[in-house]
PDB file of all heavy atoms in Angstrom:
ATOM      1  N   GLY A 203      16.801 -32.971  53.321  1.00  0.00           N
ATOM      2  CA  GLY A 203      16.336 -34.282  52.883  1.00  0.00           C
ATOM      3  C   GLY A 203      15.487 -34.992  53.919  1.00  0.00           C
ATOM      4  O   GLY A 203      14.714 -35.888  53.590  1.00  0.00           O
ATOM      5  N   VAL A 204      15.650 -34.579  55.155  1.00  0.00           N
ATOM      6  CA  VAL A 204      14.927 -35.252  56.231  1.00  0.00           C
ATOM      7  C   VAL A 204      13.601 -34.566  56.538  1.00  0.00           C
ATOM      8  O   VAL A 204      12.729 -35.113  57.187  1.00  0.00           O
ATOM      9  CB  VAL A 204      15.837 -35.281  57.477  1.00  0.00           C
ATOM     10  CG1 VAL A 204      15.064 -35.580  58.723  1.00  0.00           C
ATOM     11  CG2 VAL A 204      16.944 -36.293  57.279  1.00  0.00           C
ATOM     12  N   LYS A 205      13.458 -33.352  56.028  1.00  0.00           N
ATOM     13  CA  LYS A 205      12.307 -32.562  56.461  1.00  0.00           C
ATOM     14  C   LYS A 205      11.007 -32.879  55.731  1.00  0.00           C
ATOM     15  O   LYS A 205       9.930 -32.779  56.305  1.00  0.00           O
ATOM     16  CB  LYS A 205      12.617 -31.073  56.268  1.00  0.00           C
ATOM     17  CG  LYS A 205      13.697 -30.569  57.188  1.00  0.00           C
ATOM     18  CD  LYS A 205      13.997 -29.120  56.903  1.00  0.00           C
ATOM     19  CE  LYS A 205      15.076 -28.626  57.858  1.00  0.00           C
ATOM     20  NZ  LYS A 205      15.424 -27.233  57.604  1.00  0.00           N
ATOM     21  N   ILE A 206      11.100 -33.186  54.473  1.00  0.00           N
ATOM     22  CA  ILE A 206       9.887 -33.257  53.671  1.00  0.00           C
ATOM     23  C   ILE A 206       9.429 -34.687  53.400  1.00  0.00           C
ATOM     24  O   ILE A 206       8.304 -35.070  53.720  1.00  0.00           O
ATOM     25  CB  ILE A 206      10.080 -32.541  52.315  1.00  0.00           C
ATOM     26  CG1 ILE A 206      10.603 -31.136  52.536  1.00  0.00           C
ATOM     27  CG2 ILE A 206       8.772 -32.513  51.542  1.00  0.00           C
ATOM     28  CD1 ILE A 206       9.699 -30.245  53.342  1.00  0.00           C
ATOM     29  N   LEU A 207      10.310 -35.485  52.821  1.00  0.00           N
ATOM     30  CA  LEU A 207       9.877 -36.797  52.340  1.00  0.00           C
ATOM     31  C   LEU A 207       9.367 -37.732  53.440  1.00  0.00           C
ATOM     32  O   LEU A 207       8.321 -38.346  53.273  1.00  0.00           O
ATOM     33  CB  LEU A 207      11.002 -37.455  51.538  1.00  0.00           C
ATOM     34  CG  LEU A 207      11.431 -36.664  50.304  1.00  0.00           C
ATOM     35  CD1 LEU A 207      12.490 -37.423  49.524  1.00  0.00           C
ATOM     36  CD2 LEU A 207      10.241 -36.362  49.414  1.00  0.00           C
ATOM     37  N   PRO A 208      10.087 -37.853  54.573  1.00  0.00           N
ATOM     38  CA  PRO A 208       9.552 -38.737  55.604  1.00  0.00           C
ATOM     39  C   PRO A 208       8.178 -38.283  56.090  1.00  0.00           C
ATOM     40  O   PRO A 208       7.299 -39.106  56.330  1.00  0.00           O
ATOM     41  CB  PRO A 208      10.597 -38.635  56.721  1.00  0.00           C
ATOM     42  CG  PRO A 208      11.840 -38.206  56.044  1.00  0.00           C
ATOM     43  CD  PRO A 208      11.403 -37.324  54.912  1.00  0.00           C
ATOM     44  N   ALA A 209       8.007 -36.973  56.175  1.00  0.00           N
ATOM     45  CA  ALA A 209       6.712 -36.468  56.644  1.00  0.00           C
ATOM     46  C   ALA A 209       5.603 -36.811  55.650  1.00  0.00           C
ATOM     47  O   ALA A 209       4.488 -37.170  56.043  1.00  0.00           O
ATOM     48  CB  ALA A 209       6.786 -34.954  56.854  1.00  0.00           C
ATOM     49  N   LEU A 210       5.906 -36.704  54.370  1.00  0.00           N
ATOM     50  CA  LEU A 210       4.904 -37.062  53.358  1.00  0.00           C
ATOM     51  C   LEU A 210       4.581 -38.558  53.427  1.00  0.00           C
ATOM     52  O   LEU A 210       3.414 -38.953  53.391  1.00  0.00           O
ATOM     53  CB  LEU A 210       5.406 -36.704  51.950  1.00  0.00           C
ATOM     54  CG  LEU A 210       5.575 -35.219  51.628  1.00  0.00           C
ATOM     55  CD1 LEU A 210       5.997 -35.041  50.167  1.00  0.00           C
ATOM     56  CD2 LEU A 210       4.293 -34.444  51.891  1.00  0.00           C
ATOM     57  N   ALA A 211       5.626 -39.366  53.529  1.00  0.00           N
ATOM     58  CA  ALA A 211       5.406 -40.820  53.584  1.00  0.00           C
ATOM     59  C   ALA A 211       4.598 -41.203  54.822  1.00  0.00           C
ATOM     60  O   ALA A 211       3.733 -42.081  54.774  1.00  0.00           O
ATOM     61  CB  ALA A 211       6.743 -41.555  53.572  1.00  0.00           C
ATOM     62  N   GLU A 212       4.865 -40.497  55.900  1.00  0.00           N
ATOM     63  CA  GLU A 212       4.146 -40.801  57.140  1.00  0.00           C
ATOM     64  C   GLU A 212       2.667 -40.411  57.020  1.00  0.00           C
ATOM     65  O   GLU A 212       1.778 -41.170  57.387  1.00  0.00           O
ATOM     66  CB  GLU A 212       4.799 -40.064  58.314  1.00  0.00           C
ATOM     67  CG  GLU A 212       4.198 -40.456  59.660  1.00  0.00           C
ATOM     68  CD  GLU A 212       4.942 -39.829  60.835  1.00  0.00           C
ATOM     69  OE1 GLU A 212       5.675 -38.832  60.607  1.00  0.00           O
ATOM     70  OE2 GLU A 212       4.801 -40.335  61.962  1.00  0.00           O
ATOM     71  N   GLN A 213       2.433 -39.221  56.467  1.00  0.00           N
ATOM     72  CA  GLN A 213       1.044 -38.778  56.337  1.00  0.00           C
ATOM     73  C   GLN A 213       0.265 -39.617  55.330  1.00  0.00           C
ATOM     74  O   GLN A 213      -0.953 -39.728  55.408  1.00  0.00           O
ATOM     75  CB  GLN A 213       0.987 -37.308  55.939  1.00  0.00           C
ATOM     76  CG  GLN A 213       1.423 -36.379  57.053  1.00  0.00           C
ATOM     77  CD  GLN A 213       1.525 -34.944  56.580  1.00  0.00           C
ATOM     78  OE1 GLN A 213       0.567 -34.200  56.630  1.00  0.00           O
ATOM     79  NE2 GLN A 213       2.687 -34.562  56.075  1.00  0.00           N
ATOM     80  N   ALA A 214       0.977 -40.201  54.378  1.00  0.00           N
ATOM     81  CA  ALA A 214       0.308 -41.085  53.416  1.00  0.00           C
ATOM     82  C   ALA A 214      -0.011 -42.431  54.053  1.00  0.00           C
ATOM     83  O   ALA A 214      -0.684 -43.256  53.450  1.00  0.00           O
ATOM     84  CB  ALA A 214       1.189 -41.282  52.182  1.00  0.00           C
ATOM     85  N   GLY A 215       0.491 -42.637  55.261  1.00  0.00           N
ATOM     86  CA  GLY A 215       0.251 -43.912  55.931  1.00  0.00           C
ATOM     87  C   GLY A 215       1.181 -45.010  55.472  1.00  0.00           C
ATOM     88  O   GLY A 215       0.929 -46.182  55.711  1.00  0.00           O
ATOM     89  N   PHE A 216       2.277 -44.643  54.822  1.00  0.00           N
ATOM     90  CA  PHE A 216       3.213 -45.653  54.317  1.00  0.00           C
ATOM     91  C   PHE A 216       4.171 -46.125  55.406  1.00  0.00           C
ATOM     92  O   PHE A 216       4.659 -47.238  55.372  1.00  0.00           O
ATOM     93  CB  PHE A 216       4.038 -45.097  53.155  1.00  0.00           C
ATOM     94  CG  PHE A 216       3.238 -44.848  51.903  1.00  0.00           C
ATOM     95  CD1 PHE A 216       3.685 -43.946  50.956  1.00  0.00           C
ATOM     96  CD2 PHE A 216       2.048 -45.525  51.665  1.00  0.00           C
ATOM     97  CE1 PHE A 216       2.957 -43.717  49.800  1.00  0.00           C
ATOM     98  CE2 PHE A 216       1.306 -45.305  50.509  1.00  0.00           C
ATOM     99  CZ  PHE A 216       1.767 -44.396  49.573  1.00  0.00           C
ATOM    100  N   ILE A 217       4.494 -45.241  56.310  1.00  0.00           N
ATOM    101  CA  ILE A 217       5.407 -45.596  57.398  1.00  0.00           C
ATOM    102  C   ILE A 217       4.815 -45.071  58.697  1.00  0.00           C
ATOM    103  O   ILE A 217       4.016 -44.125  58.677  1.00  0.00           O
ATOM    104  CB  ILE A 217       6.818 -44.988  57.200  1.00  0.00           C
ATOM    105  CG1 ILE A 217       6.736 -43.473  57.012  1.00  0.00           C
ATOM    106  CG2 ILE A 217       7.536 -45.628  56.018  1.00  0.00           C
ATOM    107  CD1 ILE A 217       8.096 -42.773  56.968  1.00  0.00           C
ATOM    108  N   SER A 218       5.187 -45.679  59.789  1.00  0.00           N
ATOM    109  CA  SER A 218       4.719 -45.169  61.075  1.00  0.00           C
ATOM    110  C   SER A 218       5.720 -45.535  62.145  1.00  0.00           C
ATOM    111  O   SER A 218       6.574 -46.402  61.949  1.00  0.00           O
ATOM    112  CB  SER A 218       3.349 -45.753  61.426  1.00  0.00           C
ATOM    113  OG  SER A 218       3.469 -47.133  61.682  1.00  0.00           O
ATOM    114  N   ARG A 219       5.613 -44.844  63.259  1.00  0.00           N
ATOM    115  CA  ARG A 219       6.461 -45.185  64.403  1.00  0.00           C
ATOM    116  C   ARG A 219       5.655 -44.966  65.665  1.00  0.00           C
ATOM    117  O   ARG A 219       4.694 -44.172  65.682  1.00  0.00           O
ATOM    118  CB  ARG A 219       7.747 -44.347  64.407  1.00  0.00           C
ATOM    119  CG  ARG A 219       7.505 -42.857  64.449  1.00  0.00           C
ATOM    120  CD  ARG A 219       8.815 -42.085  64.398  1.00  0.00           C
ATOM    121  NE  ARG A 219       8.554 -40.643  64.362  1.00  0.00           N
ATOM    122  CZ  ARG A 219       9.498 -39.728  64.276  1.00  0.00           C
ATOM    123  NH1 ARG A 219      10.760 -40.080  64.218  1.00  0.00           N
ATOM    124  NH2 ARG A 219       9.195 -38.448  64.247  1.00  0.00           N
ATOM    125  N   VAL A 220       6.056 -45.655  66.681  1.00  0.00           N
ATOM    126  CA  VAL A 220       5.296 -45.614  67.927  1.00  0.00           C
ATOM    127  C   VAL A 220       5.394 -44.247  68.574  1.00  0.00           C
ATOM    128  O   VAL A 220       4.410 -43.666  69.002  1.00  0.00           O
ATOM    129  CB  VAL A 220       5.816 -46.701  68.899  1.00  0.00           C
ATOM    130  CG1 VAL A 220       5.052 -46.643  70.198  1.00  0.00           C
ATOM    131  CG2 VAL A 220       5.686 -48.070  68.252  1.00  0.00           C
ATOM    132  N   ASP A 221       6.599 -43.720  68.643  1.00  0.00           N
ATOM    133  CA  ASP A 221       6.787 -42.354  69.122  1.00  0.00           C
ATOM    134  C   ASP A 221       8.069 -41.810  68.518  1.00  0.00           C
ATOM    135  O   ASP A 221       8.762 -42.521  67.789  1.00  0.00           O
ATOM    136  CB  ASP A 221       6.803 -42.281  70.654  1.00  0.00           C
ATOM    137  CG  ASP A 221       7.923 -43.122  71.239  1.00  0.00           C
ATOM    138  OD1 ASP A 221       9.096 -42.867  70.896  1.00  0.00           O
ATOM    139  OD2 ASP A 221       7.645 -44.030  72.030  1.00  0.00           O
ATOM    140  N   GLN A 222       8.372 -40.568  68.853  1.00  0.00           N
ATOM    141  CA  GLN A 222       9.491 -39.908  68.186  1.00  0.00           C
ATOM    142  C   GLN A 222      10.830 -40.580  68.412  1.00  0.00           C
ATOM    143  O   GLN A 222      11.750 -40.437  67.613  1.00  0.00           O
ATOM    144  CB  GLN A 222       9.578 -38.453  68.632  1.00  0.00           C
ATOM    145  CG  GLN A 222       8.550 -37.566  67.954  1.00  0.00           C
ATOM    146  CD  GLN A 222       8.951 -36.121  68.028  1.00  0.00           C
ATOM    147  OE1 GLN A 222       9.553 -35.703  69.017  1.00  0.00           O
ATOM    148  NE2 GLN A 222       8.633 -35.344  67.005  1.00  0.00           N
ATOM    149  N   ALA A 223      10.924 -41.302  69.513  1.00  0.00           N
ATOM    150  CA  ALA A 223      12.215 -41.914  69.816  1.00  0.00           C
ATOM    151  C   ALA A 223      12.420 -43.215  69.045  1.00  0.00           C
ATOM    152  O   ALA A 223      13.514 -43.749  69.005  1.00  0.00           O
ATOM    153  CB  ALA A 223      12.310 -42.183  71.322  1.00  0.00           C
ATOM    154  N   GLN A 224      11.353 -43.709  68.458  1.00  0.00           N
ATOM    155  CA  GLN A 224      11.418 -44.999  67.778  1.00  0.00           C
ATOM    156  C   GLN A 224      11.696 -44.832  66.286  1.00  0.00           C
ATOM    157  O   GLN A 224      11.383 -43.804  65.710  1.00  0.00           O
ATOM    158  CB  GLN A 224      10.089 -45.736  67.957  1.00  0.00           C
ATOM    159  CG  GLN A 224       9.715 -45.985  69.401  1.00  0.00           C
ATOM    160  CD  GLN A 224      10.715 -46.838  70.124  1.00  0.00           C
ATOM    161  OE1 GLN A 224      11.159 -47.857  69.601  1.00  0.00           O
ATOM    162  NE2 GLN A 224      11.119 -46.412  71.328  1.00  0.00           N
ATOM    163  N   PRO A 225      12.247 -45.868  65.679  1.00  0.00           N
ATOM    164  CA  PRO A 225      12.431 -45.822  64.222  1.00  0.00           C
ATOM    165  C   PRO A 225      11.100 -46.041  63.505  1.00  0.00           C
ATOM    166  O   PRO A 225      10.118 -46.461  64.100  1.00  0.00           O
ATOM    167  CB  PRO A 225      13.372 -46.994  63.964  1.00  0.00           C
ATOM    168  CG  PRO A 225      13.140 -47.929  65.094  1.00  0.00           C
ATOM    169  CD  PRO A 225      12.798 -47.077  66.278  1.00  0.00           C
ATOM    170  N   TYR A 226      11.130 -45.752  62.214  1.00  0.00           N
ATOM    171  CA  TYR A 226       9.933 -45.972  61.397  1.00  0.00           C
ATOM    172  C   TYR A 226       9.892 -47.406  60.902  1.00  0.00           C
ATOM    173  O   TYR A 226      10.919 -48.015  60.618  1.00  0.00           O
ATOM    174  CB  TYR A 226       9.950 -45.053  60.182  1.00  0.00           C
ATOM    175  CG  TYR A 226       9.560 -43.628  60.483  1.00  0.00           C
ATOM    176  CD1 TYR A 226      10.514 -42.653  60.697  1.00  0.00           C
ATOM    177  CD2 TYR A 226       8.217 -43.270  60.538  1.00  0.00           C
ATOM    178  CE1 TYR A 226      10.157 -41.350  60.959  1.00  0.00           C
ATOM    179  CE2 TYR A 226       7.849 -41.962  60.804  1.00  0.00           C
ATOM    180  CZ  TYR A 226       8.826 -41.005  61.012  1.00  0.00           C
ATOM    181  OH  TYR A 226       8.460 -39.712  61.272  1.00  0.00           O
ATOM    182  N   LYS A 227       8.663 -47.890  60.740  1.00  0.00           N
ATOM    183  CA  LYS A 227       8.454 -49.184  60.118  1.00  0.00           C
ATOM    184  C   LYS A 227       7.457 -49.022  58.985  1.00  0.00           C
ATOM    185  O   LYS A 227       6.685 -48.063  58.960  1.00  0.00           O
ATOM    186  CB  LYS A 227       7.896 -50.186  61.134  1.00  0.00           C
ATOM    187  CG  LYS A 227       8.883 -50.562  62.212  1.00  0.00           C
ATOM    188  CD  LYS A 227       8.253 -51.567  63.162  1.00  0.00           C
ATOM    189  CE  LYS A 227       9.217 -51.922  64.279  1.00  0.00           C
ATOM    190  NZ  LYS A 227       8.629 -52.817  65.255  1.00  0.00           N
ATOM    191  N   LEU A 228       7.465 -50.001  58.105  1.00  0.00           N
ATOM    192  CA  LEU A 228       6.539 -50.002  56.992  1.00  0.00           C
ATOM    193  C   LEU A 228       5.148 -50.398  57.488  1.00  0.00           C
ATOM    194  O   LEU A 228       5.015 -51.303  58.297  1.00  0.00           O
ATOM    195  CB  LEU A 228       7.025 -51.023  55.968  1.00  0.00           C
ATOM    196  CG  LEU A 228       6.913 -50.727  54.485  1.00  0.00           C
ATOM    197  CD1 LEU A 228       7.504 -49.365  54.155  1.00  0.00           C
ATOM    198  CD2 LEU A 228       7.619 -51.819  53.694  1.00  0.00           C
ATOM    199  N   THR A 229       4.116 -49.724  57.003  1.00  0.00           N
ATOM    200  CA  THR A 229       2.739 -50.134  57.316  1.00  0.00           C
ATOM    201  C   THR A 229       2.226 -51.023  56.190  1.00  0.00           C
ATOM    202  O   THR A 229       2.913 -51.234  55.195  1.00  0.00           O
ATOM    203  CB  THR A 229       1.827 -48.908  57.392  1.00  0.00           C
ATOM    204  OG1 THR A 229       1.775 -48.325  56.077  1.00  0.00           O
ATOM    205  CG2 THR A 229       2.358 -47.892  58.385  1.00  0.00           C
ATOM    206  N   SER A 230       1.009 -51.509  56.345  1.00  0.00           N
ATOM    207  CA  SER A 230       0.443 -52.334  55.272  1.00  0.00           C
ATOM    208  C   SER A 230       0.293 -51.510  53.994  1.00  0.00           C
ATOM    209  O   SER A 230       0.585 -51.993  52.895  1.00  0.00           O
ATOM    210  CB  SER A 230      -0.899 -52.924  55.696  1.00  0.00           C
ATOM    211  OG  SER A 230      -1.786 -51.902  56.068  1.00  0.00           O
ATOM    212  N   ALA A 231      -0.139 -50.268  54.135  1.00  0.00           N
ATOM    213  CA  ALA A 231      -0.261 -49.415  52.940  1.00  0.00           C
ATOM    214  C   ALA A 231       1.113 -49.153  52.320  1.00  0.00           C
ATOM    215  O   ALA A 231       1.266 -49.107  51.100  1.00  0.00           O
ATOM    216  CB  ALA A 231      -0.940 -48.101  53.299  1.00  0.00           C
TER     217      ALA A 231
END
Side-chain angles (χ1 to χ4, degrees):
Chain A
V204 163
K205 292 177 179 179
I206 308 299
L207 299 183
L210 293 183
E212 186 174 19
Q213 290 173 89
F216 291 157
I217 55 173
S218 68
R219 58 182 177 182
V220 179
D221 60 58
Q222 282 200 326
Q224 301 299 315
Y226 282 97
K227 292 181 182 177
L228 219 51
T229 65
S230 57

